[in-house]
Amino acid sequence: WASAMVTLASVMISVPLGVVCGSALGIASYRHPRFEALLRPVLDLMQTVPVFAYLVPILFMFGFGPMAALVATADLRDAADGAHHDAGAQSRTARGGVSPGQMAGCSKRQMLWKILLPSARSMMMVGVNQVIMLSLNMVIIASMIGAGGLGYDVLTALRKLDIGGGVMAGVAIVALAIALDRISQAMASHARVPKPAGAFVRRQLLPISVAIVTISTLILGMIVPAIQTYPDTLMLTMGGFWEALIKWINLNLYDTIEAWKVLVLTFLLVPVKSFFVGIPWAWGITATALAAWRMGGLALGTMALCMAGFIATAGLWPEAMITIYLCGVSVLLAMVFGVPIGIWAGQSDRANSVIGVIIDTLQTLPSFVYLIPVVMLFRVGDFSAMVAVVLYSIVPSIRYAAHGIRNVDPQLIEAGLVSGCTKWQLLRRIKLPLALPSLLLGLNQTIMLALSMLVITALVGTRDLGQQVYIALTKANTGLGIVAGLSVAFIAIIVDRMLSAAAKRAKHRMGQDAAT
């Protein structure tokens, strides 16, 4: 409880800062299109730079301690995400609300405060929700520079390989995230409900009730110690179960696990790593630029050339190749396992309900939690990193595959049935081709999550760009941290733009341009 309250206090301070900064940027982006055009690539860069890279300059400016941790929790990605949602919300509102406001004679200030912001409140609350989730995700990272709370509990459990304590702290963060998520959604819904007429007490019943409960429990806590401090005798934990499970697996399945590990290392990881590490930088840059030009035109090719050239000139080409190798293998396995599961969920409501609960849990668990059982089962190394990345990044491949299958036009499916197609032919010839744009978006998101997790897996012995960011953090080397962080961000941006171009081309071939 004490750790959760420390975490909640950090979030309650950092989220308003992120929301205010993001809202200001969003309003400026809406009112000044040129500013939005300049801000957009900056926001994209901020959202793709690894979280570790933010800690290096923060540690340099504020030192080690609670202040640095608070600034890190309210990291600039919060403002970036808030600005993205605010600008989008106001743009959507403007389509139907500006003309009536102009006819009523509203000034620009009145248009903003009386029409645009109130109408865009529900969409902006989505941005607030994202800021909350990003802050909670940053809580664990910030524990490396002095933050307490649940993040420190997870980090301590990782250092001690205490799977029980790590899982319990991770579940506590998930519970806190769910509570704050539901509260933010309820606030958005409550704002649209008209207040009841009548006496003051009736109109302010909820705030009065909260105040009464708060004051009464505070007074009772001074009298009854069990209300102030939860009794140790009533505590429940799953820590013993997870410890026993890992111990049983290590005792009974160690040989089998090692055999599979050696098999994957020998026939997959080592050959792929040898190929990528052996790529000359000149050939790699040229191939990247040509592929980007072929998929997205001259502008995308030039951008890819400049970004890949930056990585090479910074002296990080070998580390970048290891990053791409680990990310590529992990994403390949995530898609191989995730897409069939998503197709199953897209065609079965019962499977979708069960799988939905599982992937929601996987998505909300902090990234550090994945490392504890992985290290205890597979030790450190590339194989452990790959397993952790696959578990963390498989969610989008499942979710987008299910979404793409479920959103195929029923009339086309009916036409296939009338033509005599079997279930396999319906899937192979109709559903999968039409779901291809969604599958590509899922691949894009899988790659983004894999890259973000690879920075975390530097703690288990990888030798990629993530380790360079981690080394910069431990040595307070701001220059190396920024350069390595930008290198990871540039890889993410190149892949994102190329896959986005491929998705647009796929939609064009399928005649889905109008749907976009």
Side-chain angles (χ1 to χ4, degrees):
W1 182 259
S3 297
M5 291 302 100
V6 172
T7 298
L8 181 61
S10 299
V11 172
M12 295 299 291
I13 295 172
S14 62
V15 167
L17 295 176
V19 170
V20 169
C21 295
S23 299
L25 291 174
I27 293 171
S29 299
Y30 167 73
R31 299 186 68 170
H32 304 285
R34 290 185 179 180
F35 177 74
E36 182 182 11
L38 295 174
L39 186 64
R40 179 65 56 184
V42 177
L43 296 182
D44 291 343
L45 182 64
M46 290 167 60
Q47 289 181 308
T48 50
V49 169
V51 289
F52 271 1
Y54 284 102
L55 298 186
V56 181
I58 291 174
L59 187 63
F60 178 77
M61 290 186 291
F62 298 98
F64 184 91
M67 182 60 188
L70 177 62
V71 175
T73 305
D75 69 290
L76 298 178
R77 295 189 310 151
D78 295 355
D81 199 78
H84 171 76
H85 281 279
D86 287 355
Q90 292 171 43
S91 298
R92 292 181 179 87
T93 305
R95 297 171 187 171
V98 170
S99 295
Q102 291 174 341
M103 293 175 63
C106 290
S107 64
K108 289 185 177 181
R109 182 184 298 273
Q110 290 172 327
M111 189 81 70
L112 175 65
W113 292 101
K114 300 292 185 180
I115 296 178
L116 292 178
L117 290 180
S119 301
R121 182 184 290 114
S122 59
M123 185 62 187
M124 291 174 66
M125 287 304 297
V126 175
V128 173
N129 181 274
Q130 291 300 309
V131 171
I132 293 172
M133 296 302 107
L134 286 172
S135 296
L136 281 170
N137 184 53
M138 197 66 185
V139 161
I140 300 180
I141 311 296
S143 65
M144 303 185 70
I145 59 173
L150 294 171
Y152 180 76
D153 293 344
V154 174
L155 186 63
T156 302
L158 175 61
R159 289 170 175 167
K160 295 179 179 179
L161 289 182
D162 177 13
I163 184 173
V167 170
M168 291 302 296
V171 171
I173 293 176
V174 171
L176 194 60
I178 293 173
L180 293 175
D181 171 71
R182 298 300 185 268
I183 290 173
S184 63
Q185 292 181 15
M187 289 175 62
S189 302
H190 183 72
R192 296 192 294 267
V193 178
K195 292 183 179 180
F200 175 81
V201 174
R202 184 181 177 185
R203 288 185 285 110
Q204 303 297 333
L205 181 61
L206 183 60
I208 293 174
S209 302
V210 171
I212 292 173
V213 171
T214 303
I215 295 172
S216 60
T217 52
L218 179 63
I219 295 173
L220 287 174
M222 298 177 180
I223 302 173
V224 183
I227 295 179
Q228 174 65 32
T229 304
Y230 192 83
D232 294 341
T233 55
L234 298 180
M235 289 184 183
L236 302 175
T237 177
M238 296 184 296
F241 167 77
W242 292 110
E243 293 283 356
L245 178 62
I246 293 295
K247 184 178 180 179
W248 183 89
I249 292 175
N250 279 325
L251 287 175
N252 296 276
L253 302 176
Y254 178 80
D255 293 337
T256 304
I257 292 173
E258 282 297 307
W260 279 103
K261 178 180 175 180
V262 171
L263 182 68
V264 173
L265 282 170
T266 304
F267 294 100
L268 181 61
L269 292 181
V270 173
V272 175
K273 182 177 182 179
S274 300
F275 171 77
F276 277 100
V277 172
I279 294 178
W281 67 269
W283 184 89
I285 292 174
T286 304
T288 302
L290 289 175
W293 170 73
R294 180 69 180 83
M295 298 178 70
L298 182 61
L300 182 58
T302 304
M303 183 193 74
L305 176 67
C306 296
M307 289 184 174
F310 172 86
I311 296 173
T313 54
L316 296 174
W317 185 260
E319 290 81 3
M321 291 300 99
I322 296 176
T323 299
I324 294 173
Y325 129 74
L326 276 173
C327 179
V329 172
S330 302
V331 169
L332 173 65
L333 293 177
M335 296 298 290
V336 166
F337 290 109
V339 171
I341 296 173
I343 293 172
W344 179 32
Q347 299 187 101
S348 171
D349 292 336
R350 180 176 297 179
N352 183 57
S353 61
V354 176
I355 294 171
V357 174
I358 296 174
I359 62 177
D360 286 343
T361 304
L362 289 175
Q363 194 169 28
T364 50
L365 275 175
S367 52
F368 275 81
V369 175
Y370 290 90
L371 296 182
I372 303 173
V374 167
V375 172
M376 295 183 72
L377 291 174
F378 308 113
R379 312 302 179 264
V380 298
D382 288 358
F383 184 84
S384 299
M386 182 202 69
V387 173
V389 172
V390 170
L391 291 175
Y392 185 72
S393 63
I394 198 173
V395 172
S397 63
I398 299 174
R399 194 184 299 279
Y400 279 88
H403 175 77
I405 295 296
R406 282 197 302 268
N407 284 272
V408 173
D409 191 343
Q411 295 181 358
L412 296 176
I413 298 176
E414 186 69 24
L417 291 173
V418 172
S419 302
C421 291
T422 63
K423 289 185 177 181
W424 169 248
Q425 289 172 328
L426 280 176
L427 177 63
R428 186 168 60 90
R429 295 181 177 273
I430 296 177
K431 293 182 180 180
L432 284 179
L434 291 174
L436 180 59
S438 183
L439 292 175
L440 288 175
L441 290 176
L443 174 61
N444 187 352
Q445 292 301 307
T446 301
I447 293 173
M448 297 302 109
L449 287 181
L451 284 171
S452 66
M453 185 63 183
L454 275 174
V455 179
I456 307 297
T457 56
L459 297 173
V460 297
T462 57
R463 297 292 185 268
D464 57 353
L465 290 172
Q467 190 197 49
Q468 296 299 312
V469 177
Y470 183 68
I471 290 173
L473 175 62
T474 56
K475 296 183 177 181
N477 188 338
T478 306
L480 177 61
I482 292 175
V483 170
L486 286 176
S487 298
V488 177
F490 288 163
I491 293 174
I493 291 172
I494 292 172
V495 173
D496 174 71
R497 297 298 187 269
M498 291 175 66
L499 288 177
S500 297
K504 289 181 181 178
R505 294 174 63 181
K507 288 183 178 181
H508 178 72
R509 286 198 304 268
M510 297 297 172
Q512 298 179 8
D513 295 42
T516 59

